[in-house]
Structures are given as C-alpha cells and as structure tokens.
Amino acid sequence: MDALYDVAVVGAGPAGSAAALRALQLRPDARVVLLDAATFPRDKTCGDGVAAAVFDLLAALGAPGLEDLAPPVPRLRLRTPTGRVVDRACPRPNRVVPRLVFDAALVAAAVEKGAELRHHRVRRMDVRADRVVLDDEIGARVVVGADGANSAVRRMLGAPAAPPAATAVAIRGYTAHDPGREALTIEYAQGPFPAYAWSFPVAGGGANVGYGVFDRRGSESRQVFLDALRRLLPGQEPDPSTVRGHHLPMSNGPRFHPDGRVLLAGDAAGTINPLTGEGIYDAVASGALAGQAAMAGAGAGAVHRGAMHRAFARHHRHSGALARLMARPRFLDAAIIAAGAHQSVFDTAVDLGLARGTVPPAAFALVLARLRP
C-alpha cells in the first residue's frame, strides 16, 4: 500500500479540485491525492455556464484569474411558453467555459498547489477506525467523494438513490450556429414537468445548446428531447457527435452527509440547483467545505454536515420552494414579468439560480402582485 495520504479526493472535477485546493490552503504540507477515472483534459456533459460568483470562490481558494478562460456574457434572456420575456444585464457578467477547458484548469491549479493527480477508477472502499482504504492500495485519513451524479463513493456509503422528483434529465450538444455573444438564453417548455432549452454562446463561435426536464418522470427518449430542442431553438441544431445525456441529482432531494471519514461534495452530494440545473457554484462551494472539514480526521463527517447546513440550508429551502412554484405556469409568467419590471427581482433570481441567494420578502411581494387579476 502507498504511504498514507491526508486526503484522497475521488473525482477531479470542480468539487474535487476545490476540495484539494482548500485542504492545501489550510495545510500546504498535507498529502492530497486527486483520483479520476479520466485523463485531463476531458469533456463533461454540462451547459458550460459559469456564474461570476464561481470565480470569486476560486480566487479565495488561491486560483485567481480563471475568468480569463472565456469572454464575459453580460445578459440573461428568459422566455416562458406564453411569450413573457425578460432580457436584462446581470449584476456581473457570467462566462461560458467548456468543461474540457474549465476542469483542466482547476486540476492544474490544484496540482500546482501540491496535489498529486492519479489516473485511477475507485471500485472498493474499506472504512477503518484510523483510515479509509481504496481498492486495497490507497489509504487516506479522509476521503472526499466528488465523483459526480453516478458517484461510486456515494453508493458504497449506502446512500439512498435520489427520488425521481429530485432528479433532472438533460441532453447537451454544440451547434455551429452563432446566437450572438451578449446573452445566455433560456426557453421554457410547456408540459407536465418543468423543462427548458438553453443556448449559451461559446468563445470562438457557436453555442452550447441543450434541453432538460426537472423531474425524471418526465424523461423521454433522446429523439424526443432533440425534437423539443429544435422546436424551442429553431436553427440551432447540435452536431450529433456532440450530443450527450446526463442526469442531475438536485438539492430538493434528501440530504446525506454521514459521520466519519468519508465526505460527499458536488453532484455526489446532490447539490444541483432545482431552479436552473446549475451545479458548478454548488460543486466548488461544497468541495471547499469538504476540503476544510477533511482536516478534522475522524470527526470530518460531522464537521462537514454542520458546515453544509450553515452554508446552504436557507438557500436550499428558498430554491426548493421556488422550484415548486415555478412549475405553475401562472407563477412562472408572474416571476418573469416582475423580473422584467424590477431590477431587484431580476437580480434576486440570478443570485438564487446561479449562486447561493435567497428571496427577500419585498422581491417575492413584487412577484405575487403580478398574480393578481
């Protein structure tokens, strides 16, 4: 067996890299290993939208300047099935960074700070009193499971599967059609479950396009999803070779942060925003909290659970409640109308959907006012 690591992070995406960065920030001499079944750079099924607040988190972790990976996209445009539209400048511009580029940059930042990157797929986990042993060869005082929606670490912990109502399903592809550089576009769809198509402009031309349903019970075949994408975004046909499917465990599902030496972060912890499907902010934030909690050794699980509750509980309550309301067409229309009429409502929606925001009573009252006859 290798020498004992202080922290072994399974999965080197945004959550895993953030965990490694935070652990090394707190203890520069710590032995931290990043384990990933893929070699970098590698693609990841995602909308590629990276909120401005994500770069703040990364700068605080000692990885500044990553916003230079892509040009700013200043606006956000939303349209409901009834034709209600809001198109405004965000408080700060967001970016569209392909995960092929973004994740490789985060891994490089973690390695530069001292993390060891190993190409390794974890298949077994043995939790002992003083350590966790992975595949009988890699021992660590604490393991962070940041291995995505299909997390092997989560399964080995015996976590319950996310229920259908808390699991989104989406497809993503790249189109050569240039929608313009100014806005992230979302077109909401009609149907029994909340759904939307997106078009996010990629640096150099073209766009990341996709379609997702915010309830696995609304999942259809790939062709049905592609047909919906064509209907909502005519002329933005994705290259078939780039189309990938994915499921996303959302934060309105049950929480699972057990005691002990094994922690979960990012998609493995079910942190996807149920309003927007955004996951990178939550991945980086939860990964950083896991990297910090890992310093507690045997008590890491309890520390991480408490930190996650303090950081996310209020946001999760608000985003979960709003997700239920946004499933009602009249409320969705009222919210879009209010966001178009009031910058404060729009800014609240951006913060709630792309970061860790909550809903002030005044903003909610402005939405409710639009529901009145």
Side-chain angles (χ1 to χ4, degrees):
M1 184 186 297
D2 294 340
L4 187 67
Y5 289 97
D6 295 296
V7 185
V9 183
V10 183
S17 293
L21 284 166
R22 183 56 176 155
L24 289 162
Q25 188 176 52
L26 292 169
R27 274 193 52 199
D29 63 337
R31 290 200 70 206
V32 177
V33 63
L34 280 166
L35 306 170
D36 204 289
T39 55
F40 289 80
R42 58 97 175 95
D43 189 21
K44 194 77 171 178
T45 306
C46 181
D48 295 341
V50 185
V54 171
F55 300 106
D56 297 338
L57 294 177
L58 294 172
L61 291 171
L66 293 182
E67 60 269 22
D68 296 337
L69 292 170
V73 182
R75 304 184 72 82
L76 176 64
R77 182 183 186 274
L78 310 170
R79 190 170 81 91
T80 73
T82 62
R84 304 292 187 178
V85 177
V86 59
D87 185 343
R88 281 186 178 272
C90 295
R92 292 190 296 159
N94 304 299
R95 316 269 169 161
V96 182
V97 189
R99 295 289 296 277
L100 191 76
V101 175
F102 186 70
D103 288 17
L106 290 187
V107 168
V111 170
E112 183 182 357
K113 296 295 183 181
E116 177 187 342
L117 177 63
R118 290 177 59 167
H119 181 215
H120 183 95
R121 182 183 297 277
V122 173
R123 291 183 170 86
R124 296 183 303 280
M125 183 171 68
D126 179 14
V127 181
R128 303 176 185 175
D130 64 338
R131 69 188 63 192
V132 181
V133 179
L134 303 173
D135 297 323
D136 301 320
E137 62 176 288
I138 301 168
R141 291 185 173 88
V142 173
V143 165
V144 177
D147 47 340
N150 297 312
S151 171
V153 174
R154 182 183 174 92
R155 288 197 305 273
M156 287 185 282
L157 284 172
T167 304
V169 181
I171 60 164
R172 173 234 71 184
Y174 291 95
T175 178
H177 172 84
D178 193 339
R181 307 288 93 196
E182 292 299 306
L184 305 176
T185 296
I186 288 176
E187 297 275 345
Y188 289 98
Q190 288 182 320
F193 301 102
Y196 71 70
W198 71 82
S199 176
F200 297 166
V202 176
N208 178 313
V209 295
Y211 178 81
V213 177
F214 286 76
D215 192 313
R216 196 170 65 209
R217 293 171 296 179
S219 176
E220 298 281 357
S221 70
R222 168 174 160 150
Q223 189 58 53
V224 170
F225 275 29
L226 285 170
D227 290 344
L229 177 59
R230 293 188 189 100
R231 186 169 59 252
L232 292 165
L233 295 171
Q236 299 197 44
E237 184 81 14
D239 179 344
S241 69
T242 67
V243 176
R244 302 283 187 275
H246 195 44
H247 75 273
L248 305 94
M250 298 184 292
S251 63
N252 55 346
R255 308 279 178 262
F256 186 76
H257 293 291
D259 287 340
R261 296 181 180 272
V262 184
L263 316 178
L264 296 174
D267 290 8
T271 61
I272 296 287
N273 191 305
L275 277 171
T276 59
E278 199 283 336
I280 293 179
Y281 178 91
D282 301 77
V284 173
S286 64
L289 293 176
Q292 181 164 322
M295 300 296 100
V303 171
H304 187 50
R305 183 172 60 250
M308 287 289 291
H309 179 80
R310 289 187 295 274
F312 282 103
R314 192 161 178 260
H315 166 69
H316 285 163
R317 286 197 302 271
H318 285 224
S319 60
L322 262 292
R324 291 191 294 273
L325 290 171
M326 294 286 275
R328 303 177 182 184
R330 284 191 64 231
F331 187 89
L332 175 61
D333 279 348
I336 295 301
I337 294 169
H342 304 280
Q343 185 72 46
S344 62
V345 175
F346 179 81
D347 292 350
T348 292
V350 170
D351 195 30
L352 185 69
L354 299 183
R356 199 164 53 195
T358 56
V359 183
F364 192 62
L366 290 169
V367 175
L368 292 181
R370 299 291 172 168
L371 284 170
R372 296 170 185 163

